[in-house]
């Protein structure tokens, strides 16, 4: 059997073992408790400072998808809540153009 076939098979086995080990966080510096710890998320009424301090748990190819998905769901819910709260305020004070008796249409508001 040629030597290059043996070397190729050995390299393929090495790569396979490395990928499987990395998938199970064998090379992680986290302890077992830290690796099993779930992402804490954001507080219910998060602010910009909370968003600046968000940290996701690392995974083989970046960050753990479930952590990022949870953060995105929280952001969507908060934005939806803020947009809903802003909608009645906008309806209460419309900025529609008004017509002056002796001039063209002007926008409402102070000048």
């Amino acid at each position: 059997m040629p030597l290059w076939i043996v070397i190729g098979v050995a390299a393929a086995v090495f790569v396979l073992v490395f990928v499987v080990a990395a998938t199970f966080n064998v090379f992680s510096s986290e302890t077992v408790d830290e690796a099993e710890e779930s992402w804490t998320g954001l507080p219910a009424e998060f602010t910009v400072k909370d968003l600046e301090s968000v940290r996701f748990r690392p995974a083989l190819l970046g960050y753990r998808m479930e952590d990022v998905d949870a953060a995105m769901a929280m952001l969507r819910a908060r934005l939806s809540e803020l947009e809903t709260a802003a909608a009645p305020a906008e309806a209460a004070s419309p900025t529609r153009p008004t017509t002056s008796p002796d001039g063209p249409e002007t926008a409402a508001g102070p000048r």
Side-chain angles (χ1 to χ4, degrees):
M1 184 152 52
L3 180 62
W4 63 271
I5 292 176
V6 173
I7 293 173
V9 169
V13 169
F14 176 77
V15 169
L16 182 64
V17 168
F18 182 81
V19 169
V20 169
T23 302
F24 290 105
N25 290 329
V26 171
F27 304 117
S28 175
S29 63
E30 297 178 316
T31 64
V32 173
D33 292 335
E34 290 173 339
E36 295 300 319
E37 183 179 297
S38 64
W39 183 63
T40 56
L42 293 166
E45 297 292 323
F46 60 86
T47 63
V48 173
K49 287 197 180 267
D50 295 323
L51 290 176
E52 291 173 357
S53 65
V54 170
R55 298 288 180 259
F56 298 110
R57 297 176 297 158
L60 179 62
L61 297 175
Y63 297 104
R64 297 187 183 186
M65 288 179 20
E66 65 269 10
D67 294 352
V68 177
D69 290 343
M72 293 304 294
M74 294 173 83
L75 288 169
R76 276 193 300 273
R78 180 78 167 137
L79 285 174
S80 176
E81 174 186 314
L82 292 173
E83 287 174 350
T84 303
E90 290 175 1
S93 61
T95 56
R96 293 187 203 137
T98 57
T99 306
S100 170
D102 53 25
E105 288 187 2
T106 58
R111 294 184 180 232

